[in-house]
């Protein structure tokens, strides 16, 4: 019964004059869109199968291909949009939950784009990062409230401290030491290919920052990057044992993810092949299902137990943090997490990416990261416990400006996931859940994964980190600041534009045009 | 109404203006300490700061003086600005409820044409009778009281609240403020002063510098670009920045680090103007670990942006530049005197040939320490010379007849000595 119009989202234009029938497109497209008819020596394309990843367009040697968005799939209707209609048609066919990949593409307000950063003029000189030191080194971990010293000096003597014996009495808990306030977000081996993991790990280690294993365990090829690895413990506990925990520089307990708050994960059995089954420590071919909650964490005191169990297991040598998705009640939740003993809290916002999530959840559950950081930072300060944990912001950090704004709102550092994948070729087609990623990223098909050369991937990621770090330094210097710690929660340097009073109040910033 | 008519009066609107907006300003700072604890007249400091006339614009000047009230060395002394007699009565009621008032009087001033519309200015010598249970230390309870008055009582502003020290400030050039308060007649062992060049046109007596809290006084030239971070950092420890000024947050940082967290004053610059990471990494292991720990913990206390500050406390003067020295600061020594100034000229004016004159590096502190014993010695000798029953002589000022205000004091149940 074909009652509905099966519209394709994309239209493929092939310029016959340019096409040389080399069949690159045929080989490159894992969705079998292109087909070569040898009788006629012509190429045909099936628009309806195209996902718009632009792999063929990018690789076509003569530039014969153009992939165009089809805006006019259905009659224009601001309420019943094309996406609602096609979703209903799809569900009427399948009766299932619609899946999607990557972060939400809905037109939710992107607060980053409504926030402007400051610069110094006259009363305060701006600083040139090319001539003056500009420090963006960042530490993640629990900070004691104060430092006590033992100073052996006769109070009345005149000798200066230089000649006396100072001892630090306070023990500073373990810290992650970042050369730039940017880390790579959790992406598991399984959801992405090993070549992606290698690129992330190598870039993090060369640049002096960290990448996160996600919930898929740690492949032995990545052991060498242990010093720059954050190992994740999620509800499925895949690949978690004491060696795994001790292979990382820090441990992150994953409670939730911005793209699918309250939802677990599912890696289908057909993807659980040799290496992945080893790394996740589950039999080949079995579904890897991460339950929605941790079945040993039904309340905050259970979380505290797990945090301390992990600290014990790692001899108190590594920071243990907790990742949650940004939900309405995020401020008290974060406060509870800090009190439960977490050394850092990762907050993943509404627009955060994913390998696979129900579209309805991704687009409708949670709150934007900007509002979440502002309210969490504020709440933790009101309660006097902000110093105890670092805050890592995640969920669609798209540029160095987003990083600067996140820190000025109150984050210590950010995680980037999507941005990192884009740097190594992702074109945001949002079909990661199909396992057919043409860019060799969200797939385990060896034919596709070899498209990403980890050395080139590493270089691209290093370039991205370098570029963003330079931009951060430029912006800091422009504002007359020469150390990133002086930007933290420094909302005086932010102004809102086109925001209403409520939004400004939640963000804790003034509107553009309002002076200090 | 022409705003200028009102600019010199302390009133709620001006105070609100000052708490709402951060007003960057360029400034002159100058300080002198005698490390032997010998006291000298305020004239020296007035002479010094007057040389830097063009660094201020008449919208604020002030002085902090230590050792000026030896007759009351162990008592709290509040200098207070009032809008009018009504706020004065209200505030005095509050003071009387919380303190035993040993003595209170209008601070003697002289009418000069350069100073217009001063507020009503009083000082009180006090012993605390606040119940200490709610507070860790007596200082905390004093701080709480001062913050309460400044925040909650309309038109009253406690300018200084230490012991054996006081802050004299107002709207005008510093040298005129000095004459107005007759500072030539006071003697102290440590003086700091400030001339202000704010980027706004509103002058408010309470908004002039030095800023004071307990024994601290801070004068500062610069603009702290880390203000928001610093403000949030101190707020965790109960310090509420009500004036939105850099000087206020610097004072709270010093109080927090030195008084409350007992960090040695000789380590404080490692926090406020911490060394660069690249320098820290080159240090020997032990020092590196200490510096690293300081920076990791106190990153939010780092003062960023251009500044030179002079902080006074009962027994030391502390000067510091930002770590890349974006504001001027000169220091000199002569015998037991230490001079610190925005420019060299004022030092040369007072002391033509110092033993040693230098330009401290960015982030390198200059500390003049007066040993407590020596202050005591000095107080004793003053006592011997002077009749210690006669307060007027001990504060080195002439008492002026204040019958009307004494009536007020009596009316509110406060006994004037
Ligand atoms: S799915 Fe990608 S590779 Fe295939 S036709 Fe569409 S754009 Fe080209
Ligand atoms: S990772 Fe691959 S499948 Fe996923 S959005 Fe990017 S290009 Fe598409």
């Amino acid at each position: 019964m074909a009652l509905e119009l099966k519209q394709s989202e994309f239209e493929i234009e092939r310029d016959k004059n340019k096409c040389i029938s080399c069949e690159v497109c045929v080989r490159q497209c894992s969705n079998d869109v292109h087909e070569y008819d040898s009788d006629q020596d012509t190429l045909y394309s099936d628009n309806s199968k195209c996902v718009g990843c632009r792999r063929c367009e990018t690789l076509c040697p003569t530039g014969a291909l153009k992939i165009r968005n089809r805006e006019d799939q259905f009659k224009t209707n601001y309420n019943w949009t094309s996406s609602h209609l096609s979703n209903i048609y799809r569900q009427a066919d399948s009766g299932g939950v619609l899946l999607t990949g990557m972060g939400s593409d809905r037109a939710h307000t992107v607060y980053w784009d409504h926030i402007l950063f400051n610069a110094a003029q006259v009363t305060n000189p701006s600083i040139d990062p090319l001539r003056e030191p500009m420090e963006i080194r960042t530490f993640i971990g629990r900070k004691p409230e104060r430092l006590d010293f033992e100073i052996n000096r006769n109070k009345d003597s005149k000798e200066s401290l230089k000649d006396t014996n100072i001892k630090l009495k306070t023990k500073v808990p373990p810290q992650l030491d970042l050369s730039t306030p940017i880390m790579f977000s959790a992406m598991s081996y399984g959801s992405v290919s090993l070549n992606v993991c290698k690129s992330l790990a190598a870039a993090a280690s060369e640049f002096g920052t960290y990448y996160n294993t996600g919930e898929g365990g740690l492949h032995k090829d990545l052991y060498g990057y242990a010093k720059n690895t954050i190992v994740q413990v999620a509800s499925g506990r895949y690949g978690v044992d004491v060696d795994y925990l001790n292979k990382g520089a820090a441990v992150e307990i994953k409670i939730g993810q911005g793209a699918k708050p309250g939802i677990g994960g599912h890696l289908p059995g057909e993807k659980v092949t040799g290496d992945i089954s080893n790394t996740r420590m589950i039999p080949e071919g079995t579904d890897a299902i991460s339950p929605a909650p941790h079945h040993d964490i039904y309340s905050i005191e259970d979380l505290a137990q797990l945090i301390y169990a992990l600290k014990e297991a790692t001899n108190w040598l590594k920071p243990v943090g907790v990742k949650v998705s940004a939900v309405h009640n995020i401020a008290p939740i974060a406060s509870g997490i800090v009190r439960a003993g977490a050394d850092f809290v990762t907050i993943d916002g509404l627009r955060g990416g994913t390998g696979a999530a129900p579209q309805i959840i991704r687009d409708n559950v949670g709150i934007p990261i900007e509002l979440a950081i502002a309210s969490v930072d504020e709440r933790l300060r009101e309660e006097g416990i902000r110093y105890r944990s670092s805050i890592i912001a995640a969920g669609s950090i798209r540029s160095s400006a987003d990083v600067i704004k996140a820190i000025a709102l109150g984050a210590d550092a950010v995680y980037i996931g999507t941005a990192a994948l884009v740097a190594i070729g992702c074109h945001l087609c949002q079909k990661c859940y199909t396992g057919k990623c043409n860019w060799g990223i969200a797939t385990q098909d060896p034919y596709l994964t070899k498209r990403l050369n980890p050395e080139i991937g590493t270089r691209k990621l290093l370039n991205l980190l370098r570029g963003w770090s330079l931009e951060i330094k430029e912006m800091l210097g422009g504002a007359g600041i020469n150390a990133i710690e002086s930007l933290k929660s420094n909302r005086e340097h932010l102004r809102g534009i086109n925001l209403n009073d409520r939004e400004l109040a939640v963000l804790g910033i003034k509107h553009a045009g309002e002076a200090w | 109404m022409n705003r200028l008519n009102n600019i010199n009066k302390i009133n709620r609107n001006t105070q609100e203006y000052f708490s709402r907006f951060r007003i960057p300003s360029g400034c002159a700072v100058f300080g002198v300490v005698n490390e032997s604890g010998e006291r000298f007249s305020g004239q020296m400091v007035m002479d010094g700061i007057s040389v830097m006339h063009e660094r201020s614009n008449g919208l604020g000047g002030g002085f902090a003086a230590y050792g000026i009230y030896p007759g009351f060395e162990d008592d709290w002394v509040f200098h207070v600005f009032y809008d009018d007699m009504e706020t004065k009565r209200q505030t005095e009621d509050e003071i009387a409820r919380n303190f035993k008032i040993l003595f209170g009087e209008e601070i003697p001033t002289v009418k000069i044409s350069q100073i217009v519309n001063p507020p009503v200015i009083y000082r009180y010598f006090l012993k605390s009778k606040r119940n200490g249970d709610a507070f860790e230390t007596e200082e905390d309870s004093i701080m709480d009281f001062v913050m309460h008055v400044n925040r909650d009582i309309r038109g009253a502003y406690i300018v200084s609240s230490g012991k054996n020290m006081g802050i004299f400030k107002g709207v005008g050039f510093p040298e005129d403020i000095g004459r107005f308060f007759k500072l030539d007649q006071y003697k102290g062992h440590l003086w700091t002063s400030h001339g202000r060049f704010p980027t706004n046109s509103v002058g408010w007596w309470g908004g002039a510098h030095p800023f004071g809290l307990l024994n601290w006084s801070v004068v500062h030239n610069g603009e702290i670009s880390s203000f928001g971070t610093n403000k949030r950092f101190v707020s965790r420890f109960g310090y509420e920045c009500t004036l939105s000024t850099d000087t206020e947050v610097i004072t709270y940082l010093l109080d927090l680090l030195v008084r409350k967290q007992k960090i040695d004053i000789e380590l404080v610059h490692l926090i406020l103007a911490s060394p660069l990471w690249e320098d820290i990494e080159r240090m020997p292991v032990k020092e590196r670990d200490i510096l690293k720990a300081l920076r990791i913990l106190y990153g939010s206390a780092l003062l960023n942006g251009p500044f030179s500050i002079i902080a006074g406390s009962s027994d030391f003067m502390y000067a510091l530049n930002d770590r890349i020295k974006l504001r001027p600061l000169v220091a000199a020594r002569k015998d037991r005197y230490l001079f610190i100034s925005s420019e060299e000229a004022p030092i040369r004016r007072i002391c033509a040939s110092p033993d040693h004159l230098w330009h401290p590096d960015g982030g390198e502190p200059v500390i003049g320490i007066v040993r407590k014993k020596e202050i005591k010695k000095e107080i004793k000798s003053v006592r011997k010379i002077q009749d210690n029953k006669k307060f007027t002589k001990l504060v080195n000022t002439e008492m002026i007849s204040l019958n009307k205000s004494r009536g007020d004091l009596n009316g509110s149940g406060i006994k004037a000595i």
Side-chain angles (χ1 to χ4, degrees), chain B residues 253-259 261-263 268 271-272 298:
Chain B
L253 279 170
L254 284 168
D255 189 57
L256 171 69
L257 297 174
V258 178
R259 183 178 66 83
Q261 301 206 337
K262 310 241 173 322
I263 290 180
V268 166
I271 295 173
L272 299 184
Y298 292 107

Side-chain angles (χ1 to χ4, degrees), chain B residues 13-207:
Chain B
N13 295 340
T14 342
Q15 185 168 353
E16 256 165 29
Y17 182 91
F18 269 72
S19 44
R20 275 217 325 274
F21 299 112
R22 251 183 93 219
I23 302 151
S25 45
C27 301
V29 295
F30 185 66
V32 187
V33 58
N34 183 299
E35 291 186 307
S36 309
E38 273 162 39
R39 304 188 311 146
F40 51 93
S41 155
Q43 189 63 48
M44 186 200 282
V45 195
M46 286 157 68
D47 287 349
I49 191 97
S50 67
V51 177
M52 297 189 283
H53 184 85
E54 77 286 357
R55 292 188 78 89
S56 34
N57 67 356
L59 283 178
F63 298 81
Y66 293 81
I68 52 174
Y69 299 131
F72 290 91
E73 47 166 321
D74 292 324
D75 306 313
W76 297 104
V77 45
F78 288 180
H79 286 189
V80 192
F81 289 165
Y82 297 121
D83 254 7
D84 50 42
M85 287 303 167
E86 177 46 39
T87 42
K88 173 169 166 291
R89 182 154 47 244
Q90 200 188 336
T91 312
E92 283 176 351
D93 282 351
E94 287 264 1
I95 295 178
R97 258 200 301 281
N98 290 281
F99 296 90
K100 188 168 156 229
I101 302 183
L102 306 173
F103 183 75
E105 64 163 352
E106 185 164 4
I107 296 184
T109 54
V110 52
K111 255 197 161 65
I112 55 173
S113 61
Q114 291 87 346
I115 302 296
V116 285
N117 279 332
V120 181
I121 309 171
Y122 268 72
R123 66 182 154 212
Y124 306 90
F125 297 87
L126 312 161
K127 281 214 187 307
S128 177
K129 46 179 203 197
R130 295 199 104 188
N131 181 357
D133 294 354
F135 300 96
E136 241 173 80
T137 62
E138 188 176 335
E139 279 85 356
D140 290 338
S141 89
I142 303 291
M143 187 176 104
D144 176 76
F145 181 81
V146 172
M147 286 190 170
H148 155 65
V149 169
N150 290 352
R151 188 185 52 226
D152 303 331
I153 302 188
R154 227 184 130 81
Y157 194 76
I158 299 179
V159 174
S160 65
S161 51
K163 288 179 175 177
N164 197 11
M165 61 80 71
I167 288 174
F168 304 87
K169 64 181 182 181
V171 174
F173 283 99
E175 55 275 22
D176 298 331
I177 293 289
R179 279 202 295 140
F180 173 74
F181 281 108
K182 305 206 241 186
L183 295 185
D184 54 321
Q185 296 180 23
Y186 290 78
K187 278 166 83 183
H189 60 265
L190 189 164
W191 291 79
T192 67
S193 59
H194 186 262
R196 195 152 178 265
F197 197 136
T199 51
N200 69 329
S201 58
V202 183
W204 171 49
W205 279 65

Side-chain angles (χ1 to χ4, degrees), chain A residues 12 29 31 33-34 50-57 67 438:
Chain A
I12 299 162
C29 182
N31 298 304
V33 171
H34 307 285
C50 173
V51 302
C53 74
R54 303 192 187 252
R55 177 81 187 177
C56 56
E57 184 179 349
I67 312 291
N438 271 327

Side-chain angles (χ1 to χ4, degrees), chain A residues 53 102 421 425-432 437-439 441-442:
Chain A
C53 74
M102 283 298 163
L421 296 188
C426 164
H427 279 59
L428 275 178
C429 67
Q430 305 189 315
K431 291 289 186 288
C432 324
C437 176
N438 271 327
W439 294 92
I441 295 168

Side-chain angles (χ1 to χ4, degrees), chain B residues 131-334:
Chain B
N131 181 357
D133 294 354
F135 300 96
E136 241 173 80
T137 62
E138 188 176 335
E139 279 85 356
D140 290 338
S141 89
I142 303 291
M143 187 176 104
D144 176 76
F145 181 81
V146 172
M147 286 190 170
H148 155 65
V149 169
N150 290 352
R151 188 185 52 226
D152 303 331
I153 302 188
R154 227 184 130 81
Y157 194 76
I158 299 179
V159 174
S160 65
S161 51
K163 288 179 175 177
N164 197 11
M165 61 80 71
I167 288 174
F168 304 87
K169 64 181 182 181
V171 174
F173 283 99
E175 55 275 22
D176 298 331
I177 293 289
R179 279 202 295 140
F180 173 74
F181 281 108
K182 305 206 241 186
L183 295 185
D184 54 321
Q185 296 180 23
Y186 290 78
K187 278 166 83 183
H189 60 265
L190 189 164
W191 291 79
T192 67
S193 59
H194 186 262
R196 195 152 178 265
F197 197 136
T199 51
N200 69 329
S201 58
V202 183
W204 171 49
W205 279 65
H209 301 174
F211 182 85
L213 177 76
L214 302 172
N215 276 335
W216 294 106
S217 68
V218 174
V219 291
H220 148 259
N221 167 23
E223 182 183 331
I224 305 296
S225 41
S226 54
F227 177 76
T229 304
N230 305 139
K231 182 178 88 175
R232 280 167 172 269
F233 178 71
V234 294
S235 76
R236 164 154 74 84
F237 301 92
Y239 297 89
E240 200 187 319
C241 288
T242 51
L243 292 186
S244 306
T245 65
D246 295 345
T247 321
E248 185 184 20
V249 82
I250 296 168
T251 309
Y252 295 160
L253 279 170
L254 284 168
D255 189 57
L256 171 69
L257 297 174
V258 178
R259 183 178 66 83
K260 297 205 73 160
Q261 301 206 337
K262 310 241 173 322
I263 290 180
D264 198 287
I265 187 69
E266 290 186 41
L267 294 176
V268 166
H269 65 286
L270 301 174
I271 295 173
L272 299 184
S274 68
L276 300 168
W277 280 118
E278 58 185 56
D279 297 331
I280 294 176
E281 291 302 342
R282 277 200 293 265
M283 291 180 180
V285 182
K286 206 184 89 183
E287 279 168 52
R288 191 179 65 205
D289 287 351
I290 289 177
L291 284 168
K292 218 170 148 178
L294 280 169
R295 212 166 155 185
I296 290 176
L297 240 79
Y298 292 107
S300 296
L302 169 67
L303 294 172
N304 221 306
F307 68 82
S308 47
I309 54 177
I310 306 177
S313 188
S314 57
D315 55 354
F316 62 84
M317 181 162 80
Y318 183 77
L320 186 67
N321 246 167
D322 63 86
R323 51 200 202 139
I324 53 175
K325 193 151 174 125
L326 295 171
R327 286 287 150 102
L329 195 68
V330 191
R333 282 188 184 279
K334 174 83 182 174

Side-chain angles (χ1 to χ4, degrees), chain A residues 89-111:
Chain A
Y89 293 139
R90 279 166 69 199
Q91 282 187 302
D93 268 356
S94 70
V97 171
L98 296 178
L99 284 182
T100 183
M102 283 298 163
S104 179
D105 52 10
R106 301 290 101 173
H108 298 297
T109 306
V110 177
Y111 284 95

Side-chain angles (χ1 to χ4, degrees), chain B residues 329-386:
Chain B
L329 195 68
V330 191
R333 282 188 184 279
K334 174 83 182 174
D335 304 329
R336 296 297 305 275
Y337 281 97
L338 170 69
F339 303 94
I340 296 171
S341 173
S342 291
E343 294 177 9
E344 190 176 325
I347 300 178
R348 296 279 181 195
R349 157 104 181 240
I350 295 168
C351 165
S353 48
D355 301 336
H356 175 39
L357 182 142
W358 75 104
H359 297 82
D361 269 351
E364 174 199 320
V366 180
I367 313 178
I369 295 183
V370 191
R371 301 291 153 192
K372 284 219 171 81
K373 268 193 266 167
E374 299 186 6
I375 301 179
K376 280 265 189 291
K377 228 169 43 203
E378 170 75 1
I379 288 169
K380 277 201 199 106
S381 66
V382 173
R383 279 212 167 130
K384 244 178 262 155
I385 306 164
Q386 296 179 323

